[in-house]
Amino acid sequence: MKDTQLYAQILGIVSPWSVDSVDLDIKGEKVTVQVSFNEGHHFTCPLCSKESSRYDKVRRQWRHLDTCQLQTTIEADVPRVDCQEHGVHQVLVPWSKSGSRNTMLFECLVLRWLQETTISAVSQQRNLDWDTVHDIQRRAVERGLERRKALTPTNITIDETSEKKGHNYLTVVSEGSRVLYIAEDRELASIDGFWKTLSTQALEGIRSVSVDLWKAYTSSTLAQEQQFEDGRGLLGG
């Protein structure tokens, strides 16, 4: 099997895309996979899936899984289309999600590492900058939230945590072992954002709230409780 065919199968690349070459740089410890598209293909708008006219093409790169310990990069000129409804947008590619500069396979590997250790540890061990690892985690959380059913919690806990002692605080809302919500910092807005994710029916179903004795958390919870003057809703029962 040719190297171009191998990478086409690994990346799931099919028409109108194809792998043109696999360039090996032993001295630089890199592998570059060059991908192109069929110039005659009619692409669609990534927002509405309507066939749209070609506007231009932009050179892009994506980090892929290492090949025999060599850093591997995908390169391609990606078309942009001019949609009558949504304007100019870059088309979707089969090997990566919109907005990412990594292949989906590489992001899956990073996410498995993140299940075992911190963002800082992953960035140091894999020679990635902190923001890159954080963005991979953020996109995964957003995809999970899109798939998650509407929340209907009953007994919740509001607490804080930090990556390093005294730094980078996070607000965490959970029910048992299930994390329901995470927000940066531990300010009033950090927990107010959680209540906004719940429907009125979900708020009425809450029966207990265990709160870290932090003023912002208690103030936000008590303010939410006062919105149910008839005694049925939050902390009702």
Side-chain angles (χ1 to χ4, degrees), residues 1-2 6 8 18 21 29 43 51 63 67 79 82 107 109 118 137-138 141 151 158 168 174 184 196 198 207 214-215:
M1 179 182 292
K2 294 182 178 180
L6 174 63
S18 61
S21 65
E29 299 183 342
F43 287 94
E51 187 174 307
R63 175 77 180 270
T67 301
D82 189 2
E107 293 205 353
L109 180 61
T118 64
Q137 183 186 65
R138 175 183 56 79
V141 171
L151 295 177
I158 304 172
N168 301 326
S174 59
E184 293 184 357
K196 294 176 182 179
L198 303 179
R207 291 295 173 263
W214 181 251
K215 185 177 180 180

Side-chain angles (χ1 to χ4, degrees), residues 161-180:
T161 187
S162 61
E163 183 178 1
K164 296 180 180 179
K165 188 174 182 180
H167 300 281
N168 301 326
Y169 281 105
L170 295 174
T171 293
V172 180
V173 182
S174 59
E175 183 171 33
S177 60
R178 182 188 180 196
V179 175
L180 305 178

Side-chain angles (χ1 to χ4, degrees), residues 158 195 209 211 216-226 234-235:
I158 304 172
W195 306 121
V209 180
V211 187
Y217 296 162
T218 56
S219 297
S220 178
T221 302
L222 291 174
Q224 188 65 44
E225 182 183 11
Q226 290 174 5
L234 184 63
L235 302 184

Side-chain angles (χ1 to χ4, degrees), residues 28-96:
E29 299 183 342
K30 294 181 180 180
V31 173
T32 303
V33 182
Q34 300 287 347
V35 178
S36 66
F37 62 92
N38 181 347
E39 290 285 351
H41 184 76
H42 296 287
F43 287 94
T44 60
C45 171
L47 301 182
C48 65
S49 299
K50 292 182 180 178
E51 187 174 307
S52 304
S53 60
R54 277 268 306 280
Y55 181 77
D56 62 7
K57 57 185 178 182
V58 182
R59 170 65 57 161
R60 300 296 188 196
Q61 293 183 334
W62 298 264
R63 175 77 180 270
H64 185 50
L65 299 174
D66 291 353
T67 301
C68 298
Q69 290 78 53
L70 302 179
Q71 182 171 315
T72 303
T73 302
I74 313 299
E75 287 189 354
D77 289 325
V78 183
R80 294 198 301 170
V81 294
D82 189 2
C83 175
Q84 292 183 350
E85 181 178 354
H86 299 105
V88 177
H89 286 277
Q90 180 176 297
V91 303
L92 301 176
V93 296
W95 55 87
S96 181

Side-chain angles (χ1 to χ4, degrees), residues 143-151 178-181 197:
R143 292 193 298 269
L145 291 176
E146 289 175 357
R147 295 192 299 267
R148 188 170 70 174
K149 296 180 180 179
L151 295 177
R178 182 188 180 196
V179 175
L180 305 178
Y181 180 83
T197 67

Side-chain angles (χ1 to χ4, degrees), residues 86 121 124 131 151 154 157 226 228:
H86 299 105
Q124 291 173 5
D131 288 337
L151 295 177
T154 303
T157 299
Q226 290 174 5
F228 295 86

